[in-house]
Amino acid sequence: MGRRVVVGVAVSVAVATCAVAAVVVGRRVKSRRKWKRLLAVLKDFDEACGTPVGRLRQVVDAMAVEMHAGLASEGGSKLKMLLTFVDKLPTGGEKGSYYALDVGGTSFRVLRVQLGGKRSSILAQDVEHEPIPPHLMTRTIEDLFDFIASGLKQFVEKGNGSQHSPVGRELGFTFSFPVKQTSISSGILIKWTKGFAIEDMVGKEVVECLQAALTRNGLDMLVTVLVNDTVGTMALEHYHDPDTVAAVIIGTGTNACYMERADAIIKCQGLLTTSGGMVVNMEWGNFWSSHLPRTTYDFDLDAESPNPNDQVFEKMISGMYLGDIVRRVILRMSLESDIFGPVSSRLSMPFILQTPLMAAIHDDDTPDLTEVARIMKEVLEISEIPLKVRKLVVKVCAVVTRRAARLAAAGIVGILKKIGRDGSGGIASGRSRSDTKMRRTVVAIEGDLYTSYTMFREYLHEALHEILGEDIAHHVILKITQDGSATGAALLAAAQSSSNIVDGHRTGIMNT
């Protein structure tokens, strides 16, 4: 009897053990399936974002062709290729004191530079920031510009050490809103952005509005230059380095400008400039090509944006959007598997994962990825995810960043190809690389995505060398430029000044 009991117990234990083992095995199998689903989502996304050098060269060619089309006719390309009427850039020979006013968001900056007449000779530079009260962003033209003019007047008087208005001071004006430029010192506001909504100013001449406010406030200053931040960046770097041929902004948004030959701007037949060239504002954020590696996440982001089918390039490479692409991929992974736990409602909130946070995830080099865990918990309310899943999140960030940086590199090479600085001799040239002598070529770059995000910068440089080849890439220098939007405007005011004319000619000289 006792033996039967023992045997029965043993059998029961064995059955229980088998049952437990079956449960454990079942869980492992289920876990492996979940993991495989996550890996499949990542693999599909990685492949869809692929930027092999062959595809990048197709983007280069498409960019150069679209630039050509945009110069040929209005509306001929997604690239607007806007004339800036800046036909001369600072050379370093400029002397004197010049002012700049930079209005582009919820604050404005005023700046003064003292130039010594030698390249890179900025003897002194003063700058002040002033917030714009929110109520002025929706009131009247006079209220807004009187406030700005008053701030500028205080700045000028403080610098002069007196209460008397200056006489004959040239002012460079950076106005980073959509403007159709009509001359180097005039442009019509197309629309407001960034929270401004002064309806009676839309369609008005921007500089006239500012000039009237300067007069009302007793400032005898003349606005001689109206520019956007990209052109200012190019002007500042050209002041330091005469081999500068283009400028790129890669930050929250993105844009590019470059120096083009006047005879290549076909849509303005007979355009005459003193230098034979003109800076063209590409508005390259609106570039589109079938060669761009867009994914379902990109299409969804675009469709849900306030401007669907616009700014396609910007939505793939700029800081405004990269973090949200990562969020969308994580959301898809979370829906495919419960390995993240219950689906967090935060994952359905657009732009909750901003690009600086994405960069922090990508740059986390701690053994257990503590920064990744912190951001996932505090921002997305996803906690206690395994280390291998955290590594997967880092990989998603890497894929998004690498694609963006490599496409930005292709865009830069597209500009170089259009002007014959990529070693091929230009878009219409039949010359080969072997019989083209490559000149030193500088591209100014400004924007936090490039300047502050190490991996983005490294990916971009890597792609540039792959596309151009080491021999050609050796001649292309990407230079970080700081505060070009304001300082560059002051330098352009100096380049336009009658006091910087020598023997009947301005000191600004085109260098292409």
Side-chain angles (χ1 to χ4, degrees):
M1 181 74 178
R3 249 167 127 189
R4 276 195 231 120
V5 170
V6 170
V7 171
V9 170
V11 170
S12 298
V13 170
V15 170
T17 301
C18 288
V20 170
V23 170
V24 170
V25 170
R27 285 177 178 171
R28 286 177 179 171
V29 170
K30 190 176 181 181
S31 178
R32 285 197 197 101
R33 286 175 182 163
K34 292 177 183 177
W35 181 243
K36 284 182 179 179
R37 285 200 294 270
L38 289 188
L39 291 179
V41 172
L42 177 60
K43 181 183 177 184
D44 290 345
F45 180 60
D46 193 11
E47 290 176 353
C49 286
T51 51
V53 68
R55 170 170 259 175
L56 292 179
R57 288 190 176 127
Q58 290 175 319
V59 174
V60 168
D61 292 342
M63 179 69 79
V65 168
E66 287 298 308
M67 291 171 69
H68 185 80
L71 292 172
S73 63
E74 292 293 347
S77 166
K78 283 279 191 179
L79 297 176
K80 290 186 173 64
M81 304 301 285
L82 301 174
L83 303 188
T84 66
F85 298 91
V86 174
D87 64 346
K88 59 190 74 65
L89 292 167
T91 63
E94 296 81 11
K95 295 181 180 180
S97 182
Y98 298 89
Y99 291 83
L101 173 64
D102 183 0
V103 180
T106 56
S107 65
F108 70 92
R109 288 185 297 170
V110 286
L111 175 140
R112 178 196 306 106
V113 295
Q114 181 69 36
L115 306 176
K118 296 179 181 178
R119 188 169 292 283
S120 294
S121 180
I122 298 179
L123 302 180
Q125 180 169 320
D126 302 306
V127 61
E128 285 188 5
H129 296 251
E130 183 78 28
I132 297 174
H135 70 276
L136 292 181
M137 297 165 66
T138 57
R139 282 181 51 176
T140 67
I141 303 171
E142 290 77 14
D143 288 338
L144 175 64
F145 279 94
D146 278 346
F147 177 78
I148 291 170
S150 175
L152 175 61
K153 181 177 182 180
Q154 291 175 31
F155 177 78
V156 170
E157 291 176 344
K158 188 175 5 177
N160 285 353
S162 71
Q163 298 301 310
H164 299 290
S165 298
V167 178
R169 298 287 194 186
E170 290 94 345
L171 178 68
F173 183 26
T174 302
F175 190 69
S176 297
F177 296 94
V179 167
K180 180 173 176 56
Q181 201 112 2
T182 52
S183 76
I184 194 170
S185 59
S186 61
I188 296 169
L189 178 66
I190 298 172
K191 65 178 180 179
W192 285 109
T193 57
K194 307 170 190 176
F196 284 78
I198 304 173
E199 290 302 323
D200 62 341
M201 188 173 168
V202 175
K204 296 285 180 64
E205 213 295 313
V206 175
V207 172
E208 283 184 4
C209 295
L210 174 59
Q211 199 72 63
L214 297 179
T215 301
R216 286 195 300 270
N217 283 268
L219 273 170
D220 185 13
M221 301 184 81
L222 179 65
V223 180
T224 57
V225 173
L226 173 67
V227 295
N228 72 3
D229 52 359
T230 315
V231 178
T233 296
M234 184 174 177
L236 176 57
E237 194 53 51
H238 192 274
Y239 178 77
H240 294 302
D241 192 325
D243 290 330
T244 303
V245 299
V248 177
I249 305 291
I250 312 178
T252 303
T254 185
N255 193 15
C257 70
Y258 74 104
M259 180 65 85
E260 180 60 272
R261 299 188 333 270
D263 60 6
I265 307 174
I266 302 169
K267 62 185 176 182
C268 292
Q269 288 281 359
L271 179 68
L272 297 177
T273 67
T274 57
S275 64
M278 181 178 289
V279 177
V280 173
N281 169 18
M282 292 174 62
E283 293 293 334
W284 86 348
N286 206 39
F287 170 67
W288 180 88
S289 165
S290 60
H291 299 299
L292 293 175
R294 298 177 79 192
T295 69
T296 56
Y297 307 99
D298 298 299
F299 285 110
D300 290 345
L301 184 152
D302 180 49
E304 295 167 19
S305 70
N307 56 340
N309 300 317
D310 283 333
Q311 300 299 105
V312 169
F313 198 50
E314 181 170 78
K315 289 169 183 172
M316 297 180 75
I317 73 171
S318 78
M320 178 73 183
Y321 301 98
L322 300 190
D324 202 57
I325 297 172
V326 171
R327 175 194 66 84
R328 290 169 182 272
V329 178
I330 296 174
L331 174 59
R332 173 69 181 278
M333 288 179 166
S334 188
L335 293 171
E336 287 285 326
S337 166
D338 63 359
I339 203 163
F340 287 96
V343 179
S344 170
S345 61
R346 291 289 191 95
L347 281 173
S348 298
M349 298 173 64
F351 300 102
I352 191 170
L353 184 66
Q354 297 181 347
T355 298
L357 294 171
M358 182 198 78
I361 291 173
H362 193 189
D363 288 340
D364 189 356
D365 58 0
T366 59
D368 56 353
L369 298 177
T370 53
E371 186 66 6
V372 177
R374 183 191 68 80
I375 292 171
M376 296 292 286
K377 182 178 181 179
E378 293 181 3
V379 179
L380 299 179
E381 294 184 348
I382 301 173
S383 58
E384 298 181 7
I385 58 174
L387 178 58
K388 67 177 184 178
V389 180
R390 280 177 252 165
K391 290 180 179 179
L392 207 64
V393 172
V394 174
K395 177 62 176 174
V396 173
C397 294
V399 171
V400 171
T401 303
R402 189 168 188 267
R403 181 187 68 167
R406 290 172 69 82
L407 289 177
I412 292 170
V413 178
I415 297 173
L416 301 184
K417 182 179 181 67
K418 172 64 182 69
I419 61 176
R421 292 293 191 108
D422 70 329
S424 68
I427 188 172
S429 173
R431 292 179 291 173
S432 66
R433 291 179 179 225
S434 59
D435 61 10
T436 301
K437 185 177 180 181
M438 188 66 185
R439 294 155 61 187
R440 182 175 180 272
T441 297
V442 176
V443 178
I445 302 189
E446 189 165 2
D448 287 344
L449 196 59
Y450 181 84
T451 60
S452 301
Y453 193 172
T454 305
M455 291 305 300
F456 184 96
R457 190 164 61 248
E458 290 181 1
Y459 287 144
L460 192 154
H461 291 177
E462 175 188 64
L464 196 76
H465 282 251
E466 285 182 29
I467 299 167
L468 291 171
E470 291 297 329
D471 290 345
I472 301 299
H474 176 72
H475 298 277
V476 178
I477 297 98
L478 305 183
K479 283 195 174 182
I480 291 176
T481 306
Q482 300 288 357
D483 202 29
S485 60
T487 309
L491 292 171
L492 283 168
Q496 294 295 318
S497 173
S498 59
S499 64
N500 286 306
I501 294 179
V502 180
D503 296 328
H505 298 283
R506 294 188 186 276
T507 54
I509 300 173
M510 174 188 171
N511 184 13
T512 60

